[in-house]
Amino acid sequence: MAKKNILIRSKLKKARSLFASNQLAEAQALLDQIVKVDQRNAEAWLMRGVLAGKQGDFNHAFDFIKQALALRPGDVQILYNFGIALRGSGDLERAMATFKKV
C-alpha cells in the first residue's frame, strides 16, 4: 500500500509540473491514471477538473470537481474551483451561492 501511495504522490507531482508548463495532454493522461487507480484521490479529481475548465470543457470540469468535493466537502480550494466551474457552465446562481460559502 505504501508503495502505491508513493507512486501516486510522484505522479501528482509530475502532473502539477506538466500543468504548470502548459503540457495539458500529458498532465491529463497522468491524472486519468491516478483516478483510475485511486478513485478517492480528491487532489487528482480537482486537478482533472481545473484542467478540463482550462480547456473550456466546463461540463466535465463540473463533474470532476464535484467528485473532489464529495471526497472533501469543506475544502475551500475545491469549493472555489467548483464555483468557477458552475460559472463557466452558465449556472450563475449556484456559482454565487458557492462563492459565498468560500
Side-chain angles (χ1 to χ4, degrees):
M1 185 69 156
K3 188 174 183 178
K4 176 182 163 185
N5 289 338
I6 291 169
L7 181 60
I8 288 172
R9 283 195 305 266
S10 174
K11 285 185 178 188
L12 275 171
K13 183 177 179 181
K14 178 68 174 174
R16 277 189 227 103
S17 174
L18 290 167
F19 185 86
S21 63
N22 210 33
Q23 297 178 41
L24 303 182
E26 294 87 350
Q28 179 178 333
L30 272 178
L31 293 167
D32 287 345
Q33 288 175 21
I34 293 166
V35 297
K36 186 175 182 179
V37 172
D38 183 7
Q39 294 181 355
R40 299 199 47 82
N41 192 307
E43 184 179 355
W45 283 112
L46 173 61
M47 287 178 63
R48 187 64 186 86
V50 171
L51 193 147
K54 186 170 181 154
Q55 294 171 322
D57 184 359
F58 293 107
N59 289 328
H60 280 110
F62 173 82
D63 291 339
F64 295 141
I65 296 172
K66 186 176 178 182
Q67 181 67 29
L69 195 56
L71 295 167
R72 291 199 311 222
D75 189 296
V76 175
Q77 181 183 14
I78 296 172
L79 274 169
Y80 175 76
N81 283 286
F82 190 62
I84 291 172
L86 287 166
R87 183 185 66 196
S89 66
D91 192 344
L92 301 181
E93 189 173 315
R94 283 182 62 199
M96 287 302 296
T98 301
F99 287 135
K100 286 180 183 178
K101 288 180 187 177
V102 173

